[in-house]
Amino acid sequence: MQRRQFLQAALAATSAAALAPQMSFADHHEGHAPFKISLAEWSLHKTLRDKSKNLTNLDFPRVTKEEFGIDAVEYVNQFFADKAKDAKYLAELNQRCDDAGVKSLLIMVDREGRLGDPDDAARTKAVENHYQWVDAAKTLGCHSIRVNAGSKGEYKEQQKLAADGLRRVSEYAKPMGLNVIVENHGGLSSNGAWLAGTIKQVGLDNCGTLPDFGNFKVSNDEMYDRYKGVEELMPYAKAVSAKAHDFDDEGNETATDYFKMMDIVLKHGYHGYVGIEYEGKVLGEYEGIKKTKALLEKVAAAVSAKSLKKAG
């Protein structure tokens, strides 16, 4: 009996080992995935702006779950710009998330002024404009607001100014347990070394980065290396944005090697949410989101298989 039990156990173990490398991303998703997938609302900006589609920010959580099978969302404040202090609206959005089984991660904040504005009064106004979004993020159960580090002037002067604005917003957010994270989003913020240096100057653990795979256009004459940039920003990352535009016949993004990029992300010990941000013009938004998700799942499955092989 002991020999038979041993053989049965050995056969089961062998079968499991043979199947393990073929396990899908979904099989690893609960507690074992190398990273999780969320959806950035900007991926649907055309649909949301098209009045004939009848899709609003309140519908975003449901659509994210029903259409794409994704259970975490990243809002863009442009789509509920006048609702930051609307308690009833935010309560409704929370209810929509609960109903759909969707988690709110962050709010991407735009059009509230430059946090590194050279004019002291304008910079202070920008800082104060962001407070309402910190409050809204807290109400929605988010972990962060994403901001921009816009400024003007020389390299070091822009760092000093942006660090000042970021520090003040971060100080406001800290008692609420919220992060203030900066995306590489044009200008010097798309220079990885500049942004990493700016975050270092802020010197607060709740001020970090949101590395975006594709936003590395510093100016019309300068493109920063995207892999170098993400490498420099990952030590401060509290979220990651998987930018996608076009895909080849094998489903790979044509401008970014997702396998190489995610290797950089994961080697820094990041295993949180990677937000899909589709901005392509060839595919429709829904198809583009699905293509990006499929690519991320392919990367995750490859990483999981590699880990299992090492463990074996």
Side-chain angles (χ1 to χ4, degrees), residues 115-152:
L115 290 173
D117 199 297
D119 181 83
D120 289 348
R123 189 166 69 259
T124 294
K125 182 67 165 61
V127 167
E128 292 173 348
N129 286 348
H130 282 77
Y131 290 168
Q132 63 180 335
W133 293 108
V134 173
D135 296 338
K138 178 66 174 178
T139 300
L140 293 172
C142 299
H143 63 70
S144 303
I145 64 166
R146 187 280 277 146
V147 304
N148 299 301
S151 188
K152 186 178 181 180

Side-chain angles (χ1 to χ4, degrees), residues 37-39 61 64-65 68-73 102 276 289 293:
I37 296 175
S38 54
L39 180 62
T64 296
K65 188 66 172 287
F68 311 113
I70 295 172
D71 60 7
V73 294
V102 169
I276 292 171
I289 291 168
K293 184 190 178 196

Side-chain angles (χ1 to χ4, degrees), residues 141-187:
C142 299
H143 63 70
S144 303
I145 64 166
R146 187 280 277 146
V147 304
N148 299 301
S151 188
K152 186 178 181 180
E154 296 301 318
Y155 186 101
K156 289 186 178 180
E157 181 63 14
Q158 286 197 46
Q159 274 191 326
K160 177 183 174 182
L161 293 167
D164 175 65
L166 290 169
R167 185 181 303 110
R168 290 152 70 184
V169 179
S170 299
E171 287 172 344
Y172 179 83
K174 194 172 180 64
M176 299 184 220
L178 283 162
N179 302 308
V180 175
I181 57 179
V182 189
E183 181 181 356
N184 44 303
H185 211 198

Side-chain angles (χ1 to χ4, degrees), residues 5-6 24 36 42 44 90 121 157 216 231 243 248 253 270 277:
Q5 289 171 344
F6 172 79
S24 69
K36 295 172 280 189
W42 191 252
L44 291 167
L90 297 178
E157 181 63 14
F216 286 100
E231 181 79 61
K243 179 65 59 63
D248 62 22
E253 217 281 335
Y270 182 88
E277 191 170 56

